[in-house]
Amino acid sequence: MRFKTIFTVLLLVSLFAVSGVAQTYNYEEMTQEQYNAYLAEWQQRLEAAQTGIDQENAAIDELNKELDALQADIDGTWDGLYAAASSDEAGYNSYGSSLDQLKNEASTMLSQSPEELYSKMNEIDDLQAKLDAVKNDPYSATAANTQAINNVQSLIDQAREKGKAAIPPSYTVVRGDYLWKIAAKEDIYNNAFAWIRIYSSNTEQIKNPDLIYADQVFSIPRVTGPNEHLVEQGESLFSIANKHGSPFTWQKIYEANKSMLSDPNVIYPFQVLKLQ
Amino acid sequence: MNKLRVLLAILFGVATISLTSCGWKASEEEKQQLEETRDAALSAEKTLADKKTEKADLEAKVAAKKAELEKVKADKASVEAKAAEAAEADSE
């Protein structure tokens, strides 16, 4: 312990001595020439630094002036922007707040389960209507607001897609329904021309597509099975057969779907054909 | 004669010793001047370094403000176009 204290004291003393040597001159051994040289060197450094300070001060003054002028330009441009929208700064801020609120609503919506979202599709539609109204405001054109609008739109789209996952895979016919009307429903296919898909997927129940009955339960396929093909615009049995192996097997496809196809040359988009 | 030689030798010795021991030494005023000049130079150099930092900061601020101005100008042009589009749609 004593050794440690002595060592610390010695170290401090030696450090002090070294720093003292580094910071002060040894005037006892200094010649006049050395003195003059030191003095001249420090005077020169002082003069150079003062010149540099003057130059930097001038540059700083210029920069401050430039900064003030730029700020004035920016303020003026903002005023012009508000005027273009027939509004003011408060109006712009209010617009930003409404976007934030929409974003919060969309985020909250997206955090719900697919089943909840499916049951609240009308609320998603309302949210979309609000966003569409906001998109018409001139303030929507600024880069920041465009970005914010795109973010909200993305959240709404995601919520809608998430809700679709809960769409039931079947549909119970109610009085007044017909295949065209059912297919056109947003949560079915959202396309009236897809009625034929319902028909071709439920041939056991639907003998005549013009005759369906209340309380019939139709399957609403969302994907095609491994042995099925969903007909697209412009396709023929020949091209479908070609897509699934050989064009010359078209007759097999026709045979497999003969109950639905009266003429092998006439097939319709959205028909679901069995491949074997 | 010998005494004279001894005396001259002693005088020469005394003169030599006095000449070597009486070299130039900085006065207190000179010491103070050197120390003060040195301190002033070091202080000025530190001030210069600070000024350079301040200038660099201001240059960065000016660059940021220029970018901000360009962005606001672009936003203003977009808002004007959108407002004109809305006005045209209203008139139709």
PDB file of all heavy atoms in Angstrom, chain A residues 124-144:
ATOM      1  N   ILE A 124     -63.907  -0.683 -44.606  1.00  0.00           N
ATOM      2  CA  ILE A 124     -62.723  -0.509 -45.477  1.00  0.00           C
ATOM      3  C   ILE A 124     -63.101   0.357 -46.677  1.00  0.00           C
ATOM      4  O   ILE A 124     -62.338   1.237 -47.089  1.00  0.00           O
ATOM      5  CB  ILE A 124     -62.169  -1.884 -45.934  1.00  0.00           C
ATOM      6  CG1 ILE A 124     -61.663  -2.674 -44.724  1.00  0.00           C
ATOM      7  CG2 ILE A 124     -61.040  -1.704 -46.950  1.00  0.00           C
ATOM      8  CD1 ILE A 124     -61.129  -4.052 -45.044  1.00  0.00           C
ATOM      9  N   ASP A 125     -64.294   0.122 -47.196  1.00  0.00           N
ATOM     10  CA  ASP A 125     -64.768   0.958 -48.316  1.00  0.00           C
ATOM     11  C   ASP A 125     -64.883   2.426 -47.893  1.00  0.00           C
ATOM     12  O   ASP A 125     -64.530   3.334 -48.652  1.00  0.00           O
ATOM     13  CB  ASP A 125     -66.125   0.460 -48.807  1.00  0.00           C
ATOM     14  CG  ASP A 125     -66.007  -0.885 -49.515  1.00  0.00           C
ATOM     15  OD1 ASP A 125     -64.886  -1.237 -49.914  1.00  0.00           O
ATOM     16  OD2 ASP A 125     -67.029  -1.581 -49.634  1.00  0.00           O
ATOM     17  N   ASP A 126     -65.376   2.640 -46.664  1.00  0.00           N
ATOM     18  CA  ASP A 126     -65.500   4.029 -46.156  1.00  0.00           C
ATOM     19  C   ASP A 126     -64.128   4.693 -46.059  1.00  0.00           C
ATOM     20  O   ASP A 126     -63.957   5.861 -46.408  1.00  0.00           O
ATOM     21  CB  ASP A 126     -66.158   4.040 -44.764  1.00  0.00           C
ATOM     22  CG  ASP A 126     -67.628   3.672 -44.848  1.00  0.00           C
ATOM     23  OD1 ASP A 126     -68.172   3.694 -45.977  1.00  0.00           O
ATOM     24  OD2 ASP A 126     -68.222   3.349 -43.797  1.00  0.00           O
ATOM     25  N   LEU A 127     -63.188   3.891 -45.561  1.00  0.00           N
ATOM     26  CA  LEU A 127     -61.820   4.410 -45.419  1.00  0.00           C
ATOM     27  C   LEU A 127     -61.238   4.771 -46.791  1.00  0.00           C
ATOM     28  O   LEU A 127     -60.593   5.809 -46.964  1.00  0.00           O
ATOM     29  CB  LEU A 127     -60.959   3.337 -44.743  1.00  0.00           C
ATOM     30  CG  LEU A 127     -59.701   3.796 -44.032  1.00  0.00           C
ATOM     31  CD1 LEU A 127     -60.005   4.837 -42.970  1.00  0.00           C
ATOM     32  CD2 LEU A 127     -58.991   2.602 -43.385  1.00  0.00           C
ATOM     33  N   GLN A 128     -61.524   3.904 -47.759  1.00  0.00           N
ATOM     34  CA  GLN A 128     -61.048   4.161 -49.128  1.00  0.00           C
ATOM     35  C   GLN A 128     -61.684   5.438 -49.677  1.00  0.00           C
ATOM     36  O   GLN A 128     -61.000   6.242 -50.325  1.00  0.00           O
ATOM     37  CB  GLN A 128     -61.394   2.969 -50.020  1.00  0.00           C
ATOM     38  CG  GLN A 128     -60.893   3.107 -51.450  1.00  0.00           C
ATOM     39  CD  GLN A 128     -59.371   3.092 -51.548  1.00  0.00           C
ATOM     40  OE1 GLN A 128     -58.734   2.137 -51.132  1.00  0.00           O
ATOM     41  NE2 GLN A 128     -58.781   4.166 -52.072  1.00  0.00           N
ATOM     42  N   ALA A 129     -62.968   5.643 -49.372  1.00  0.00           N
ATOM     43  CA  ALA A 129     -63.660   6.852 -49.842  1.00  0.00           C
ATOM     44  C   ALA A 129     -63.032   8.106 -49.226  1.00  0.00           C
ATOM     45  O   ALA A 129     -62.839   9.119 -49.907  1.00  0.00           O
ATOM     46  CB  ALA A 129     -65.143   6.769 -49.490  1.00  0.00           C
ATOM     47  N   LYS A 130     -62.702   7.994 -47.927  1.00  0.00           N
ATOM     48  CA  LYS A 130     -62.053   9.146 -47.264  1.00  0.00           C
ATOM     49  C   LYS A 130     -60.714   9.445 -47.925  1.00  0.00           C
ATOM     50  O   LYS A 130     -60.361  10.597 -48.167  1.00  0.00           O
ATOM     51  CB  LYS A 130     -61.809   8.837 -45.786  1.00  0.00           C
ATOM     52  CG  LYS A 130     -63.019   8.977 -44.896  1.00  0.00           C
ATOM     53  CD  LYS A 130     -62.557   8.772 -43.456  1.00  0.00           C
ATOM     54  CE  LYS A 130     -63.668   8.407 -42.528  1.00  0.00           C
ATOM     55  NZ  LYS A 130     -63.205   8.023 -41.201  1.00  0.00           N
ATOM     56  N   LEU A 131     -59.959   8.376 -48.207  1.00  0.00           N
ATOM     57  CA  LEU A 131     -58.639   8.563 -48.826  1.00  0.00           C
ATOM     58  C   LEU A 131     -58.781   9.159 -50.221  1.00  0.00           C
ATOM     59  O   LEU A 131     -58.010  10.042 -50.614  1.00  0.00           O
ATOM     60  CB  LEU A 131     -57.874   7.234 -48.883  1.00  0.00           C
ATOM     61  CG  LEU A 131     -56.453   7.323 -49.418  1.00  0.00           C
ATOM     62  CD1 LEU A 131     -55.561   8.157 -48.504  1.00  0.00           C
ATOM     63  CD2 LEU A 131     -55.823   5.945 -49.587  1.00  0.00           C
ATOM     64  N   ASP A 132     -59.783   8.694 -50.955  1.00  0.00           N
ATOM     65  CA  ASP A 132     -60.007   9.233 -52.302  1.00  0.00           C
ATOM     66  C   ASP A 132     -60.308  10.725 -52.246  1.00  0.00           C
ATOM     67  O   ASP A 132     -59.856  11.493 -53.101  1.00  0.00           O
ATOM     68  CB  ASP A 132     -61.148   8.481 -52.987  1.00  0.00           C
ATOM     69  CG  ASP A 132     -60.751   7.057 -53.358  1.00  0.00           C
ATOM     70  OD1 ASP A 132     -59.530   6.779 -53.396  1.00  0.00           O
ATOM     71  OD2 ASP A 132     -61.642   6.221 -53.591  1.00  0.00           O
ATOM     72  N   ALA A 133     -61.078  11.128 -51.210  1.00  0.00           N
ATOM     73  CA  ALA A 133     -61.402  12.556 -51.060  1.00  0.00           C
ATOM     74  C   ALA A 133     -60.127  13.347 -50.765  1.00  0.00           C
ATOM     75  O   ALA A 133     -59.908  14.429 -51.316  1.00  0.00           O
ATOM     76  CB  ALA A 133     -62.416  12.737 -49.942  1.00  0.00           C
ATOM     77  N   VAL A 134     -59.295  12.783 -49.915  1.00  0.00           N
ATOM     78  CA  VAL A 134     -58.029  13.444 -49.547  1.00  0.00           C
ATOM     79  C   VAL A 134     -57.104  13.564 -50.766  1.00  0.00           C
ATOM     80  O   VAL A 134     -56.376  14.540 -50.931  1.00  0.00           O
ATOM     81  CB  VAL A 134     -57.367  12.631 -48.408  1.00  0.00           C
ATOM     82  CG1 VAL A 134     -55.895  12.934 -48.299  1.00  0.00           C
ATOM     83  CG2 VAL A 134     -58.049  12.930 -47.081  1.00  0.00           C
ATOM     84  N   LYS A 135     -57.190  12.563 -51.652  1.00  0.00           N
ATOM     85  CA  LYS A 135     -56.328  12.569 -52.849  1.00  0.00           C
ATOM     86  C   LYS A 135     -56.656  13.718 -53.792  1.00  0.00           C
ATOM     87  O   LYS A 135     -55.826  14.118 -54.593  1.00  0.00           O
ATOM     88  CB  LYS A 135     -56.504  11.248 -53.611  1.00  0.00           C
ATOM     89  CG  LYS A 135     -55.749  10.078 -53.051  1.00  0.00           C
ATOM     90  CD  LYS A 135     -56.045   8.833 -53.876  1.00  0.00           C
ATOM     91  CE  LYS A 135     -55.393   7.604 -53.297  1.00  0.00           C
ATOM     92  NZ  LYS A 135     -55.788   6.385 -54.025  1.00  0.00           N
ATOM     93  N   ASN A 136     -57.884  14.223 -53.698  1.00  0.00           N
ATOM     94  CA  ASN A 136     -58.287  15.306 -54.601  1.00  0.00           C
ATOM     95  C   ASN A 136     -57.782  16.673 -54.160  1.00  0.00           C
ATOM     96  O   ASN A 136     -57.819  17.619 -54.928  1.00  0.00           O
ATOM     97  CB  ASN A 136     -59.823  15.353 -54.694  1.00  0.00           C
ATOM     98  CG  ASN A 136     -60.348  14.176 -55.485  1.00  0.00           C
ATOM     99  OD1 ASN A 136     -59.665  13.677 -56.383  1.00  0.00           O
ATOM    100  ND2 ASN A 136     -61.530  13.708 -55.148  1.00  0.00           N
ATOM    101  N   ASP A 137     -57.341  16.768 -52.914  1.00  0.00           N
ATOM    102  CA  ASP A 137     -56.856  18.063 -52.403  1.00  0.00           C
ATOM    103  C   ASP A 137     -55.524  18.424 -53.076  1.00  0.00           C
ATOM    104  O   ASP A 137     -54.677  17.550 -53.274  1.00  0.00           O
ATOM    105  CB  ASP A 137     -56.639  17.935 -50.887  1.00  0.00           C
ATOM    106  CG  ASP A 137     -56.472  19.279 -50.225  1.00  0.00           C
ATOM    107  OD1 ASP A 137     -55.465  19.966 -50.507  1.00  0.00           O
ATOM    108  OD2 ASP A 137     -57.346  19.635 -49.426  1.00  0.00           O
ATOM    109  N   PRO A 138     -55.341  19.698 -53.441  1.00  0.00           N
ATOM    110  CA  PRO A 138     -54.063  20.092 -54.070  1.00  0.00           C
ATOM    111  C   PRO A 138     -52.842  19.752 -53.207  1.00  0.00           C
ATOM    112  O   PRO A 138     -51.770  19.455 -53.732  1.00  0.00           O
ATOM    113  CB  PRO A 138     -54.199  21.600 -54.236  1.00  0.00           C
ATOM    114  CG  PRO A 138     -55.659  21.858 -54.272  1.00  0.00           C
ATOM    115  CD  PRO A 138     -56.294  20.820 -53.410  1.00  0.00           C
ATOM    116  N   TYR A 139     -53.021  19.772 -51.878  1.00  0.00           N
ATOM    117  CA  TYR A 139     -51.895  19.444 -50.996  1.00  0.00           C
ATOM    118  C   TYR A 139     -51.417  18.002 -51.162  1.00  0.00           C
ATOM    119  O   TYR A 139     -50.308  17.666 -50.761  1.00  0.00           O
ATOM    120  CB  TYR A 139     -52.275  19.670 -49.535  1.00  0.00           C
ATOM    121  CG  TYR A 139     -52.270  21.114 -49.105  1.00  0.00           C
ATOM    122  CD1 TYR A 139     -53.186  21.590 -48.172  1.00  0.00           C
ATOM    123  CD2 TYR A 139     -51.332  22.011 -49.608  1.00  0.00           C
ATOM    124  CE1 TYR A 139     -53.189  22.915 -47.764  1.00  0.00           C
ATOM    125  CE2 TYR A 139     -51.333  23.343 -49.208  1.00  0.00           C
ATOM    126  CZ  TYR A 139     -52.255  23.785 -48.287  1.00  0.00           C
ATOM    127  OH  TYR A 139     -52.239  25.097 -47.880  1.00  0.00           O
ATOM    128  N   SER A 140     -52.252  17.170 -51.776  1.00  0.00           N
ATOM    129  CA  SER A 140     -51.857  15.773 -51.959  1.00  0.00           C
ATOM    130  C   SER A 140     -50.663  15.664 -52.910  1.00  0.00           C
ATOM    131  O   SER A 140     -50.007  14.629 -52.970  1.00  0.00           O
ATOM    132  CB  SER A 140     -53.017  14.959 -52.512  1.00  0.00           C
ATOM    133  OG  SER A 140     -53.322  15.397 -53.825  1.00  0.00           O
ATOM    134  N   ALA A 141     -50.404  16.755 -53.671  1.00  0.00           N
ATOM    135  CA  ALA A 141     -49.354  16.688 -54.690  1.00  0.00           C
ATOM    136  C   ALA A 141     -47.940  16.855 -54.138  1.00  0.00           C
ATOM    137  O   ALA A 141     -46.979  16.602 -54.854  1.00  0.00           O
ATOM    138  CB  ALA A 141     -49.617  17.745 -55.759  1.00  0.00           C
ATOM    139  N   THR A 142     -47.814  17.290 -52.876  1.00  0.00           N
ATOM    140  CA  THR A 142     -46.435  17.431 -52.370  1.00  0.00           C
ATOM    141  C   THR A 142     -45.817  16.051 -52.192  1.00  0.00           C
ATOM    142  O   THR A 142     -46.542  15.061 -51.978  1.00  0.00           O
ATOM    143  CB  THR A 142     -46.393  18.169 -51.013  1.00  0.00           C
ATOM    144  OG1 THR A 142     -46.987  17.341 -50.022  1.00  0.00           O
ATOM    145  CG2 THR A 142     -47.106  19.500 -51.072  1.00  0.00           C
ATOM    146  N   ALA A 143     -44.492  16.006 -52.290  1.00  0.00           N
ATOM    147  CA  ALA A 143     -43.798  14.707 -52.238  1.00  0.00           C
ATOM    148  C   ALA A 143     -44.091  13.955 -50.944  1.00  0.00           C
ATOM    149  O   ALA A 143     -44.390  12.754 -50.965  1.00  0.00           O
ATOM    150  CB  ALA A 143     -42.294  14.931 -52.394  1.00  0.00           C
ATOM    151  N   ALA A 144     -44.060  14.679 -49.836  1.00  0.00           N
ATOM    152  CA  ALA A 144     -44.270  14.023 -48.536  1.00  0.00           C
ATOM    153  C   ALA A 144     -45.693  13.488 -48.430  1.00  0.00           C
ATOM    154  O   ALA A 144     -45.907  12.361 -47.955  1.00  0.00           O
ATOM    155  CB  ALA A 144     -43.989  15.012 -47.412  1.00  0.00           C
TER     156      ALA A 144
END
